[in-house]
Amino acid sequence: MVSSRNLCRVVFVLCALYATPILSMSFQIDPLAMRCLGEEVSKNTLVVGEISAKPSASTMVIRVFDPSGSLLYNKANVNQGKFAFTGHESGQHQFCVDNVGSTAFTVNFDLKTGVEAKDYYSIAKKENLKPLEVELRKLEDIATMIHNGFLYLREREETMRNTNESTHTRVIFFSLFTIFVLLGLGVWQMYYLKSFFRTKKLI
């Protein structure tokens, strides 16, 4: 029989495996250039990000788009921007940075999603939660995140299956159409040749 301690270890290992990592990177952007980064975000997932420029330059434009292309965040002529939103639909979100100045700078990009984006210290202070209760709340959020991830994968699988079935049906109709066209062309060629030979009195 599995002990409660071993069961807890298994739960923590699974949660650690499925926990969303923090995306953090730096890159240089040239004058009058733009660069966009894409990140898969599931529906109802919290996203918190921060973008800053070094050396400090107030020539940066920050924009965030959802999978449909709708603008979620827009801030112009800044050297730093912080944003937070909850994904209304699953898919790849675009995080774009424009350099509208004449000097290149380095962009520091930090992004947290899901459980990592929540401030559990503030939640514990607001709701007077004990440390164990905070960990349980975190585990509950991780379980919800995993569940939402599975739902998203199922949704994508269904979309791909529908696409494959639609493509298969189109291929079948195109093949039948091609066959009928070739048969019609063959009959027309036979009729034309027969008429031609009769005109030339060869048959």
Side-chain angles (χ1 to χ4, degrees), residues 72-136:
L72 299 177
Y73 178 85
N74 185 23
K75 204 167 186 181
N77 299 323
V78 296
N79 60 2
Q80 183 178 355
K82 295 182 179 181
F83 54 86
F85 63 90
T86 300
H88 296 293
E89 60 178 317
S90 300
Q92 190 170 77
H93 289 62
Q94 297 290 330
F95 305 87
C96 299
V97 178
D98 293 85
N99 182 1
V100 296
S102 58
T103 305
F105 55 79
T106 300
V107 175
N108 294 322
F109 179 70
D110 295 308
L111 186 70
K112 300 178 182 179
T113 60
V115 177
E116 297 295 340
K118 287 189 176 182
D119 186 358
Y120 287 95
Y121 176 78
S122 299
I123 294 175
K125 189 174 181 181
K126 182 179 180 180
E127 300 182 13
N128 295 321
L129 298 178
K130 297 179 180 179
L132 182 59
E133 293 174 328
V134 174
E135 292 300 323
L136 290 175

Side-chain angles (χ1 to χ4, degrees), residues 11-30:
V11 171
F12 275 107
V13 169
L14 289 175
C15 292
L17 289 174
Y18 281 98
T20 304
I22 301 174
L23 177 62
S24 180
M25 60 168 37
S26 298
F27 55 88
Q28 182 172 317
I29 184 166
D30 296 325

Side-chain angles (χ1 to χ4, degrees), residues 28-189:
Q28 182 172 317
I29 184 166
D30 296 325
L32 303 178
M34 179 183 70
R35 185 167 180 181
C36 293
L37 302 174
E39 180 70 14
E40 287 285 339
V41 177
S42 300
K43 186 177 181 180
N44 298 325
T45 298
L46 176 64
V47 179
V48 175
E50 180 177 359
I51 300 176
S52 59
K54 288 186 179 181
S56 181
S58 299
T59 59
M60 181 170 61
V61 179
I62 304 172
R63 291 177 294 174
V64 180
F65 299 92
D66 66 8
S68 300
S70 300
L71 188 63
L72 299 177
Y73 178 85
N74 185 23
K75 204 167 186 181
N77 299 323
V78 296
N79 60 2
Q80 183 178 355
K82 295 182 179 181
F83 54 86
F85 63 90
T86 300
H88 296 293
E89 60 178 317
S90 300
Q92 190 170 77
H93 289 62
Q94 297 290 330
F95 305 87
C96 299
V97 178
D98 293 85
N99 182 1
V100 296
S102 58
T103 305
F105 55 79
T106 300
V107 175
N108 294 322
F109 179 70
D110 295 308
L111 186 70
K112 300 178 182 179
T113 60
V115 177
E116 297 295 340
K118 287 189 176 182
D119 186 358
Y120 287 95
Y121 176 78
S122 299
I123 294 175
K125 189 174 181 181
K126 182 179 180 180
E127 300 182 13
N128 295 321
L129 298 178
K130 297 179 180 179
L132 182 59
E133 293 174 328
V134 174
E135 292 300 323
L136 290 175
R137 175 71 64 86
K138 191 172 183 178
L139 289 174
E140 181 182 359
D141 291 340
I142 291 176
T144 302
M145 182 185 67
I146 295 173
H147 177 69
N148 292 336
F150 281 132
L151 292 179
Y152 174 58
L153 291 176
R154 182 187 298 176
E155 180 182 344
R156 289 191 61 182
E157 180 186 1
E158 184 177 353
T159 302
M160 293 180 64
R161 184 174 63 251
N162 292 336
T163 303
N164 290 336
E165 291 177 355
S166 176
T167 304
H168 180 68
T169 303
R170 291 180 181 179
V171 169
I172 291 176
F173 279 114
F174 179 75
S175 301
L176 292 175
F177 174 76
T178 304
I179 291 174
F180 285 120
V181 169
L182 292 175
L183 288 175
L185 183 61
V187 171
W188 177 81
Q189 285 180 338

